[in-house]
Amino acid sequence: MRWLGIETSCDESAVALVEVAERTLVVRSSLVGSQIARHRPFGGVVPEVAVREHLKNLPQLVSRVLAEAALPIAEIDGIAVTQGPGLATSLLIGHAYARGLGLMLGRPVRGINHLEGHLLSPFFASATPGEVAFPFLGLVVSGGHTLLIEARGWNDYRRLGGTVDDAAGEVFDKVARMLGLGYPGGPEIEKTARSGNPSAYEFPQSFPERNNFQFSFSGLKTSVRYFLEKHPGRLADPAFVADVAASFQHAVVEVLVRKTIQAARHRRLRQVTVAGGVACNGLLRQRLEAEARREGLQLALAPAALCTDNAAMIAGVAALKEAAGAAVESGDADIDPNLPLASLAAA
Ligand code: KG4
Ligand code: ZN
């Protein structure tokens, strides 16, 4: 089965072609049309700009993906599109486009949960990529979400914890702005932190209690803000900025690693997966690898190219679930900007 994936949950238009052959999942082509430069002058995502860009990008990306995969459009077996969560207007454009394409080609359309895309993306890189090994503990860390999920089987996802305020990626972006670094902030902080000392300053880590799997990052963000206000003028010193970036990154990474390992231990899960934009972070990957090894846990990290938003993870969910005979939402279902992952338990 060959699945065309379409993802427009926020400000990136993404299209991919994914194929399952003998339970092996192959990404034949995956392209992302970034809109970052279009939104930068406004200092954030402007919904109407995003919609116009999606409309312009989608047909071009579909043509390029098909050309890269050397596949005529008639050979697509199905279309997978993000149903939610995300920005309503952006979701509507991708959904309408996918349904139109499905109607024209006479192919089924499936509605996919964006978070399930992130959650399952680590399996695209495993030795036998089509084999999703339930049960596992999944950490999803992105610009919009910070979630610890116990995945017990297809459509059987239990939320163990999540953020009560800012998402981990969001706080990387906000602190980067305070430090005068570029957008998106995660990669900028990581780069700047390389020459800094992670123990230079101590920033608070939230909910330190054992077996509390909630996260809170707004206190950390505020403490960086107060710290910078107490040291006016020092942002001009690159060594100071590097030390703050490294100390902040250390605080976020340590809390993510500690709670993930504790949750795995608490739920007696031997396999841990990590995905979402923040999973690109080198220090997070390194620290998780070290701690998982120490605990004897099996760790599956999403490949870096599939950590940030992409359509391969959307097509991949449809492909893997269809191959496994698991229920998949129809594309006829309405988009839902607040679609929760746990709702899949009822499917
Ligand atoms: O998954 P994603 O592309 O979009 C959402 O679904 O939110 O994640 C984007 C987020 C941004 O906040 C970005 O700053 C963060 O992922 N990010 C990183 C890194 N690369 C991207 N955070 C920390 N370190 C990175 N290397
Ligand atoms: Zn995402």
Side-chain angles (χ1 to χ4, degrees), residues 228-289:
L228 294 176
E229 282 170 8
K230 266 199 256 158
H231 296 83
R234 292 205 60 193
L235 283 180
D237 173 6
F240 173 78
V241 174
D243 281 348
V244 176
S247 303
F248 159 77
Q249 179 178 249
H250 168 77
V252 178
V253 165
E254 284 313 306
V255 81
L256 290 173
V257 172
R258 192 177 62 243
K259 289 190 184 250
T260 303
I261 299 293
Q262 275 181 9
R265 219 187 272 153
H266 182 67
R267 299 297 308 159
R268 298 181 201 286
L269 295 163
R270 306 308 304 158
Q271 185 172 218
V272 174
T273 69
V274 188
V278 182
C280 288
N281 187 277
L283 180 68
L284 177 62
R285 296 174 86 90
Q286 211 177 299
R287 289 284 300 119
L288 280 164
E289 267 160 9

Short mmCIF file of all heavy atoms in Angstrom, two decimals, residues 228-289:
data_model
loop_
_atom_site.label_atom_id
_atom_site.label_comp_id
_atom_site.label_asym_id
_atom_site.label_seq_id
_atom_site.Cartn_x
_atom_site.Cartn_y
_atom_site.Cartn_z
N LEU A 228 17.78 37.63 33.98
CA LEU A 228 18.31 38.56 32.96
C LEU A 228 18.05 40.01 33.37
O LEU A 228 18.89 40.88 33.14
CB LEU A 228 17.70 38.27 31.59
CG LEU A 228 18.08 36.91 30.98
CD1 LEU A 228 17.35 36.68 29.67
CD2 LEU A 228 19.60 36.79 30.77
N GLU A 229 16.90 40.25 34.02
CA GLU A 229 16.59 41.62 34.47
C GLU A 229 17.57 42.07 35.55
O GLU A 229 17.88 43.25 35.67
CB GLU A 229 15.15 41.69 35.00
CG GLU A 229 14.14 41.75 33.85
CD GLU A 229 12.68 41.57 34.31
OE1 GLU A 229 12.42 41.55 35.53
OE2 GLU A 229 11.83 41.43 33.43
N LYS A 230 18.05 41.09 36.33
CA LYS A 230 19.00 41.43 37.41
C LYS A 230 20.41 41.66 36.88
O LYS A 230 21.30 42.08 37.61
CB LYS A 230 19.03 40.28 38.43
CG LYS A 230 18.05 40.51 39.58
CD LYS A 230 18.40 39.67 40.78
CE LYS A 230 17.44 38.50 40.87
NZ LYS A 230 17.89 37.37 41.62
N HIS A 231 20.63 41.28 35.63
CA HIS A 231 21.97 41.45 35.04
C HIS A 231 21.87 42.27 33.76
O HIS A 231 22.20 41.78 32.68
CB HIS A 231 22.60 40.08 34.74
CG HIS A 231 22.85 39.27 35.97
ND1 HIS A 231 21.87 38.51 36.57
CD2 HIS A 231 23.95 39.11 36.73
CE1 HIS A 231 22.37 37.92 37.64
NE2 HIS A 231 23.63 38.27 37.76
N PRO A 232 21.42 43.52 33.89
CA PRO A 232 21.21 44.32 32.67
C PRO A 232 22.52 44.56 31.93
O PRO A 232 23.57 44.69 32.55
CB PRO A 232 20.62 45.64 33.21
CG PRO A 232 21.00 45.71 34.64
CD PRO A 232 21.17 44.29 35.13
N GLY A 233 22.42 44.56 30.62
CA GLY A 233 23.61 44.87 29.81
C GLY A 233 24.49 43.68 29.50
O GLY A 233 25.30 43.71 28.58
N ARG A 234 24.29 42.57 30.24
CA ARG A 234 25.22 41.45 30.04
C ARG A 234 24.91 40.62 28.79
O ARG A 234 25.70 39.76 28.39
CB ARG A 234 25.26 40.56 31.28
CG ARG A 234 25.90 41.30 32.46
CD ARG A 234 26.49 40.37 33.46
NE ARG A 234 27.53 39.51 32.92
CZ ARG A 234 28.02 38.44 33.56
NH1 ARG A 234 27.55 38.15 34.76
NH2 ARG A 234 28.95 37.70 33.01
N LEU A 235 23.74 40.88 28.19
CA LEU A 235 23.40 40.13 26.97
C LEU A 235 24.37 40.45 25.82
O LEU A 235 24.42 39.72 24.82
CB LEU A 235 21.96 40.44 26.53
CG LEU A 235 20.86 39.74 27.33
CD1 LEU A 235 19.49 40.12 26.80
CD2 LEU A 235 21.03 38.23 27.27
N ALA A 236 25.12 41.52 25.98
CA ALA A 236 26.10 41.87 24.95
C ALA A 236 27.33 40.96 25.04
O ALA A 236 28.16 40.95 24.13
CB ALA A 236 26.51 43.33 25.11
N ASP A 237 27.44 40.21 26.14
CA ASP A 237 28.60 39.34 26.34
C ASP A 237 28.27 37.91 25.88
O ASP A 237 27.47 37.21 26.53
CB ASP A 237 28.96 39.37 27.84
CG ASP A 237 30.06 38.37 28.20
OD1 ASP A 237 30.62 37.75 27.27
OD2 ASP A 237 30.33 38.21 29.41
N PRO A 238 28.86 37.45 24.77
CA PRO A 238 28.52 36.13 24.22
C PRO A 238 28.78 35.00 25.22
O PRO A 238 28.05 33.99 25.23
CB PRO A 238 29.42 35.99 23.00
CG PRO A 238 29.91 37.35 22.68
CD PRO A 238 29.86 38.16 23.95
N ALA A 239 29.79 35.14 26.10
CA ALA A 239 30.10 34.08 27.06
C ALA A 239 28.97 33.96 28.09
O ALA A 239 28.58 32.85 28.50
CB ALA A 239 31.43 34.37 27.76
N PHE A 240 28.41 35.11 28.48
CA PHE A 240 27.29 35.12 29.43
C PHE A 240 26.06 34.45 28.79
O PHE A 240 25.42 33.59 29.38
CB PHE A 240 26.97 36.57 29.83
CG PHE A 240 25.74 36.73 30.67
CD1 PHE A 240 25.76 36.42 32.03
CD2 PHE A 240 24.55 37.18 30.10
CE1 PHE A 240 24.61 36.56 32.81
CE2 PHE A 240 23.39 37.33 30.88
CZ PHE A 240 23.43 37.01 32.23
N VAL A 241 25.75 34.84 27.54
CA VAL A 241 24.59 34.27 26.83
C VAL A 241 24.76 32.75 26.70
O VAL A 241 23.82 31.98 26.92
CB VAL A 241 24.42 34.94 25.44
CG1 VAL A 241 23.32 34.25 24.64
CG2 VAL A 241 24.09 36.42 25.61
N ALA A 242 25.98 32.32 26.38
CA ALA A 242 26.24 30.87 26.23
C ALA A 242 26.02 30.14 27.55
O ALA A 242 25.44 29.04 27.58
CB ALA A 242 27.67 30.66 25.72
N ASP A 243 26.46 30.75 28.67
CA ASP A 243 26.28 30.12 29.99
C ASP A 243 24.79 30.03 30.36
O ASP A 243 24.35 29.02 30.90
CB ASP A 243 27.04 30.90 31.07
CG ASP A 243 28.54 30.59 31.06
OD1 ASP A 243 28.93 29.61 30.39
OD2 ASP A 243 29.30 31.32 31.73
N VAL A 244 24.03 31.09 30.08
CA VAL A 244 22.60 31.06 30.39
C VAL A 244 21.92 30.01 29.52
O VAL A 244 21.11 29.20 30.00
CB VAL A 244 21.93 32.45 30.19
CG1 VAL A 244 20.43 32.37 30.43
CG2 VAL A 244 22.56 33.50 31.12
N ALA A 245 22.25 29.99 28.22
CA ALA A 245 21.64 29.01 27.29
C ALA A 245 21.94 27.59 27.76
O ALA A 245 21.05 26.72 27.80
CB ALA A 245 22.16 29.23 25.88
N ALA A 246 23.20 27.33 28.15
CA ALA A 246 23.61 25.98 28.56
C ALA A 246 22.93 25.60 29.88
O ALA A 246 22.48 24.45 30.04
CB ALA A 246 25.13 25.91 28.71
N SER A 247 22.82 26.54 30.81
CA SER A 247 22.20 26.24 32.11
C SER A 247 20.71 26.00 31.96
O SER A 247 20.13 25.11 32.58
CB SER A 247 22.43 27.39 33.10
OG SER A 247 23.81 27.64 33.24
N PHE A 248 20.07 26.79 31.08
CA PHE A 248 18.63 26.62 30.82
C PHE A 248 18.38 25.26 30.15
O PHE A 248 17.52 24.48 30.55
CB PHE A 248 18.13 27.76 29.92
CG PHE A 248 16.86 27.44 29.20
CD1 PHE A 248 15.63 27.48 29.87
CD2 PHE A 248 16.88 27.06 27.86
CE1 PHE A 248 14.46 27.14 29.21
CE2 PHE A 248 15.71 26.72 27.20
CZ PHE A 248 14.49 26.77 27.88
N GLN A 249 19.18 24.96 29.12
CA GLN A 249 19.01 23.69 28.39
C GLN A 249 19.19 22.51 29.33
O GLN A 249 18.43 21.53 29.29
CB GLN A 249 20.02 23.62 27.24
CG GLN A 249 19.94 22.34 26.43
CD GLN A 249 20.93 22.32 25.28
OE1 GLN A 249 20.56 22.38 24.13
NE2 GLN A 249 22.21 22.24 25.59
N HIS A 250 20.19 22.62 30.21
CA HIS A 250 20.45 21.57 31.19
C HIS A 250 19.21 21.34 32.07
O HIS A 250 18.80 20.20 32.31
CB HIS A 250 21.67 21.97 32.05
CG HIS A 250 21.88 21.13 33.25
ND1 HIS A 250 22.44 19.87 33.18
CD2 HIS A 250 21.58 21.34 34.56
CE1 HIS A 250 22.49 19.36 34.40
NE2 HIS A 250 21.96 20.22 35.25
N ALA A 251 18.58 22.44 32.53
CA ALA A 251 17.40 22.32 33.42
C ALA A 251 16.25 21.62 32.70
O ALA A 251 15.61 20.74 33.26
CB ALA A 251 16.97 23.71 33.90
N VAL A 252 15.99 21.98 31.44
CA VAL A 252 14.88 21.36 30.70
C VAL A 252 15.18 19.88 30.45
O VAL A 252 14.33 19.01 30.69
CB VAL A 252 14.64 22.06 29.33
CG1 VAL A 252 13.52 21.37 28.56
CG2 VAL A 252 14.29 23.52 29.53
N VAL A 253 16.39 19.61 29.99
CA VAL A 253 16.74 18.23 29.63
C VAL A 253 16.68 17.32 30.86
O VAL A 253 16.13 16.22 30.81
CB VAL A 253 18.14 18.18 28.96
CG1 VAL A 253 18.68 16.77 28.90
CG2 VAL A 253 18.05 18.78 27.55
N GLU A 254 17.21 17.81 31.99
CA GLU A 254 17.24 16.95 33.18
C GLU A 254 15.83 16.58 33.64
O GLU A 254 15.58 15.44 34.03
CB GLU A 254 18.04 17.60 34.31
CG GLU A 254 19.54 17.54 34.10
CD GLU A 254 20.05 16.15 33.67
OE1 GLU A 254 19.78 15.15 34.36
OE2 GLU A 254 20.72 16.07 32.60
N VAL A 255 14.91 17.53 33.60
CA VAL A 255 13.56 17.23 34.06
C VAL A 255 12.87 16.26 33.09
O VAL A 255 12.17 15.33 33.51
CB VAL A 255 12.75 18.53 34.34
CG1 VAL A 255 12.18 19.14 33.10
CG2 VAL A 255 11.65 18.29 35.34
N LEU A 256 13.10 16.43 31.80
CA LEU A 256 12.51 15.50 30.81
C LEU A 256 13.05 14.09 31.00
O LEU A 256 12.30 13.10 31.00
CB LEU A 256 12.80 15.98 29.38
CG LEU A 256 12.07 17.25 28.91
CD1 LEU A 256 12.58 17.71 27.55
CD2 LEU A 256 10.55 17.02 28.85
N VAL A 257 14.36 13.99 31.20
CA VAL A 257 15.00 12.67 31.34
C VAL A 257 14.54 12.00 32.63
O VAL A 257 14.14 10.84 32.64
CB VAL A 257 16.55 12.80 31.30
CG1 VAL A 257 17.21 11.47 31.64
CG2 VAL A 257 17.01 13.28 29.93
N ARG A 258 14.56 12.77 33.73
CA ARG A 258 14.24 12.17 35.03
C ARG A 258 12.81 11.63 35.04
O ARG A 258 12.55 10.50 35.44
CB ARG A 258 14.43 13.20 36.14
CG ARG A 258 14.40 12.58 37.52
CD ARG A 258 14.66 13.56 38.64
NE ARG A 258 13.65 14.60 38.68
CZ ARG A 258 13.90 15.89 38.49
NH1 ARG A 258 15.13 16.30 38.25
NH2 ARG A 258 12.92 16.77 38.54
N LYS A 259 11.87 12.43 34.55
CA LYS A 259 10.46 11.99 34.60
C LYS A 259 10.20 10.83 33.65
O LYS A 259 9.39 9.95 33.94
CB LYS A 259 9.53 13.16 34.32
CG LYS A 259 9.54 14.12 35.50
CD LYS A 259 8.50 15.18 35.45
CE LYS A 259 8.68 16.11 36.63
NZ LYS A 259 7.61 15.99 37.62
N THR A 260 10.87 10.83 32.52
CA THR A 260 10.68 9.73 31.56
C THR A 260 11.18 8.42 32.15
O THR A 260 10.48 7.39 32.11
CB THR A 260 11.44 10.05 30.24
OG1 THR A 260 10.95 11.30 29.75
CG2 THR A 260 11.24 8.97 29.20
N ILE A 261 12.35 8.45 32.75
CA ILE A 261 12.92 7.22 33.33
C ILE A 261 12.06 6.76 34.51
O ILE A 261 11.75 5.57 34.65
CB ILE A 261 14.39 7.45 33.76
CG1 ILE A 261 15.26 7.84 32.55
CG2 ILE A 261 14.96 6.23 34.49
CD1 ILE A 261 15.46 6.77 31.49
N GLN A 262 11.63 7.72 35.33
CA GLN A 262 10.78 7.37 36.49
C GLN A 262 9.45 6.76 36.04
O GLN A 262 8.97 5.80 36.63
CB GLN A 262 10.49 8.61 37.33
CG GLN A 262 11.57 8.92 38.33
CD GLN A 262 11.23 10.16 39.16
OE1 GLN A 262 10.12 10.69 39.10
NE2 GLN A 262 12.19 10.65 39.92
N ALA A 263 8.87 7.32 34.98
CA ALA A 263 7.59 6.81 34.48
C ALA A 263 7.75 5.38 33.95
O ALA A 263 6.89 4.52 34.18
CB ALA A 263 7.02 7.73 33.41
N ALA A 264 8.85 5.13 33.25
CA ALA A 264 9.09 3.79 32.71
C ALA A 264 9.21 2.79 33.87
O ALA A 264 8.64 1.69 33.84
CB ALA A 264 10.36 3.79 31.87
N ARG A 265 9.95 3.21 34.89
CA ARG A 265 10.15 2.35 36.06
C ARG A 265 8.80 2.09 36.75
O ARG A 265 8.44 0.96 37.05
CB ARG A 265 11.10 3.07 37.02
CG ARG A 265 12.09 2.15 37.70
CD ARG A 265 12.86 2.93 38.74
NE ARG A 265 14.04 3.58 38.22
CZ ARG A 265 14.57 4.68 38.75
NH1 ARG A 265 14.02 5.29 39.77
NH2 ARG A 265 15.66 5.20 38.24
N HIS A 266 8.05 3.18 36.97
CA HIS A 266 6.78 3.11 37.68
C HIS A 266 5.78 2.20 36.96
O HIS A 266 5.06 1.43 37.59
CB HIS A 266 6.23 4.53 37.80
CG HIS A 266 4.95 4.63 38.55
ND1 HIS A 266 4.86 4.37 39.90
CD2 HIS A 266 3.69 4.95 38.15
CE1 HIS A 266 3.62 4.54 40.29
NE2 HIS A 266 2.88 4.88 39.25
N ARG A 267 5.72 2.30 35.64
CA ARG A 267 4.75 1.51 34.87
C ARG A 267 5.34 0.18 34.39
O ARG A 267 4.71 -0.53 33.62
CB ARG A 267 4.25 2.32 33.66
CG ARG A 267 3.54 3.62 34.00
CD ARG A 267 2.27 3.43 34.79
NE ARG A 267 1.36 2.48 34.15
CZ ARG A 267 0.38 1.82 34.76
NH1 ARG A 267 0.18 2.02 36.04
NH2 ARG A 267 -0.38 0.99 34.10
N ARG A 268 6.55 -0.10 34.81
CA ARG A 268 7.27 -1.33 34.42
C ARG A 268 7.32 -1.51 32.90
O ARG A 268 7.04 -2.59 32.37
CB ARG A 268 6.62 -2.58 35.04
CG ARG A 268 6.65 -2.57 36.55
CD ARG A 268 6.01 -3.85 37.06
NE ARG A 268 5.55 -3.71 38.43
CZ ARG A 268 6.34 -3.69 39.50
NH1 ARG A 268 7.64 -3.83 39.36
NH2 ARG A 268 5.84 -3.55 40.70
N LEU A 269 7.64 -0.42 32.20
CA LEU A 269 7.75 -0.48 30.75
C LEU A 269 9.23 -0.56 30.40
O LEU A 269 10.03 0.22 30.90
CB LEU A 269 7.10 0.75 30.11
CG LEU A 269 5.58 0.83 30.33
CD1 LEU A 269 5.05 2.23 30.05
CD2 LEU A 269 4.88 -0.21 29.46
N ARG A 270 9.60 -1.49 29.56
CA ARG A 270 11.02 -1.70 29.26
C ARG A 270 11.47 -0.95 28.01
O ARG A 270 12.65 -0.90 27.69
CB ARG A 270 11.33 -3.21 29.08
CG ARG A 270 10.92 -4.10 30.23
CD ARG A 270 11.41 -3.63 31.59
NE ARG A 270 12.87 -3.45 31.65
CZ ARG A 270 13.48 -2.68 32.53
NH1 ARG A 270 12.79 -2.00 33.42
NH2 ARG A 270 14.79 -2.58 32.51
N GLN A 271 10.49 -0.44 27.26
CA GLN A 271 10.84 0.27 26.04
C GLN A 271 10.38 1.72 26.10
O GLN A 271 9.24 1.99 26.46
CB GLN A 271 10.21 -0.42 24.84
CG GLN A 271 10.66 0.23 23.55
CD GLN A 271 10.21 -0.53 22.33
OE1 GLN A 271 10.95 -0.61 21.38
NE2 GLN A 271 9.02 -1.07 22.35
N VAL A 272 11.29 2.62 25.74
CA VAL A 272 10.99 4.05 25.79
C VAL A 272 11.23 4.67 24.42
O VAL A 272 12.22 4.34 23.75
CB VAL A 272 11.92 4.74 26.84
CG1 VAL A 272 11.76 6.26 26.81
CG2 VAL A 272 11.63 4.21 28.24
N THR A 273 10.30 5.52 23.98
CA THR A 273 10.49 6.20 22.70
C THR A 273 10.42 7.72 22.92
O THR A 273 9.76 8.18 23.84
CB THR A 273 9.40 5.83 21.68
OG1 THR A 273 8.16 6.41 22.11
CG2 THR A 273 9.24 4.33 21.53
N VAL A 274 11.10 8.46 22.05
CA VAL A 274 11.09 9.92 22.17
C VAL A 274 10.92 10.53 20.78
O VAL A 274 11.58 10.11 19.83
CB VAL A 274 12.41 10.44 22.81
CG1 VAL A 274 12.30 11.93 23.09
CG2 VAL A 274 12.70 9.70 24.10
N ALA A 275 10.02 11.50 20.68
CA ALA A 275 9.74 12.12 19.38
C ALA A 275 9.28 13.56 19.56
O ALA A 275 9.06 14.01 20.68
CB ALA A 275 8.66 11.31 18.67
N GLY A 276 9.12 14.28 18.45
CA GLY A 276 8.71 15.69 18.48
C GLY A 276 9.93 16.58 18.28
O GLY A 276 11.07 16.12 18.45
N GLY A 277 9.68 17.85 17.94
CA GLY A 277 10.78 18.75 17.58
C GLY A 277 11.92 18.81 18.58
O GLY A 277 13.09 18.84 18.21
N VAL A 278 11.60 18.81 19.88
CA VAL A 278 12.65 18.94 20.91
C VAL A 278 13.52 17.67 20.95
O VAL A 278 14.65 17.71 21.42
CB VAL A 278 12.02 19.27 22.29
CG1 VAL A 278 13.08 19.44 23.36
CG2 VAL A 278 11.16 20.52 22.21
N ALA A 279 13.00 16.56 20.42
CA ALA A 279 13.79 15.32 20.38
C ALA A 279 14.97 15.43 19.41
O ALA A 279 15.82 14.55 19.35
CB ALA A 279 12.89 14.13 20.02
N CYS A 280 15.04 16.54 18.66
CA CYS A 280 16.23 16.80 17.81
C CYS A 280 17.42 17.18 18.70
O CYS A 280 18.57 17.12 18.27
CB CYS A 280 16.01 18.01 16.90
SG CYS A 280 14.89 17.75 15.57
N ASN A 281 17.13 17.61 19.93
CA ASN A 281 18.17 18.17 20.79
C ASN A 281 19.24 17.13 21.15
O ASN A 281 18.94 16.08 21.72
CB ASN A 281 17.52 18.73 22.06
CG ASN A 281 18.51 19.46 22.93
OD1 ASN A 281 19.23 18.87 23.70
ND2 ASN A 281 18.56 20.78 22.77
N GLY A 282 20.47 17.45 20.82
CA GLY A 282 21.58 16.51 20.99
C GLY A 282 21.81 16.13 22.44
O GLY A 282 22.06 14.97 22.76
N LEU A 283 21.70 17.12 23.36
CA LEU A 283 21.93 16.83 24.77
C LEU A 283 20.83 15.90 25.30
O LEU A 283 21.12 14.96 26.04
CB LEU A 283 21.96 18.13 25.59
CG LEU A 283 22.19 17.95 27.09
CD1 LEU A 283 23.60 17.44 27.38
CD2 LEU A 283 21.93 19.25 27.86
N LEU A 284 19.58 16.16 24.90
CA LEU A 284 18.47 15.31 25.35
C LEU A 284 18.70 13.87 24.86
O LEU A 284 18.54 12.91 25.63
CB LEU A 284 17.13 15.85 24.82
CG LEU A 284 15.90 15.01 25.16
CD1 LEU A 284 15.67 14.94 26.67
CD2 LEU A 284 14.64 15.58 24.48
N ARG A 285 19.10 13.72 23.62
CA ARG A 285 19.32 12.38 23.05
C ARG A 285 20.44 11.65 23.81
O ARG A 285 20.32 10.49 24.20
CB ARG A 285 19.65 12.46 21.55
CG ARG A 285 18.51 13.03 20.72
CD ARG A 285 18.88 13.24 19.26
NE ARG A 285 18.71 12.05 18.43
CZ ARG A 285 17.60 11.72 17.77
NH1 ARG A 285 16.52 12.50 17.87
NH2 ARG A 285 17.54 10.64 17.04
N GLN A 286 21.52 12.40 24.03
CA GLN A 286 22.70 11.85 24.72
C GLN A 286 22.35 11.43 26.16
O GLN A 286 22.70 10.33 26.59
CB GLN A 286 23.70 12.99 24.78
CG GLN A 286 25.15 12.68 24.74
CD GLN A 286 25.85 14.05 24.73
OE1 GLN A 286 25.66 14.86 23.82
NE2 GLN A 286 26.61 14.33 25.77
N ARG A 287 21.66 12.29 26.88
CA ARG A 287 21.33 12.00 28.28
C ARG A 287 20.34 10.84 28.38
O ARG A 287 20.43 10.01 29.28
CB ARG A 287 20.76 13.26 28.96
CG ARG A 287 21.80 14.33 29.21
CD ARG A 287 22.71 13.99 30.40
NE ARG A 287 21.94 13.86 31.62
CZ ARG A 287 21.87 12.74 32.36
NH1 ARG A 287 22.56 11.66 32.02
NH2 ARG A 287 21.11 12.68 33.44
N LEU A 288 19.39 10.78 27.45
CA LEU A 288 18.43 9.68 27.47
C LEU A 288 19.13 8.36 27.17
O LEU A 288 18.85 7.33 27.78
CB LEU A 288 17.32 9.92 26.43
CG LEU A 288 16.22 10.87 26.87
CD1 LEU A 288 15.41 11.35 25.67
CD2 LEU A 288 15.28 10.21 27.90
N GLU A 289 20.07 8.41 26.21
CA GLU A 289 20.81 7.19 25.87
C GLU A 289 21.57 6.69 27.09
O GLU A 289 21.55 5.49 27.41
CB GLU A 289 21.76 7.45 24.70
CG GLU A 289 21.12 7.10 23.37
CD GLU A 289 21.78 7.76 22.17
OE1 GLU A 289 22.86 8.37 22.33
OE2 GLU A 289 21.19 7.65 21.07
#
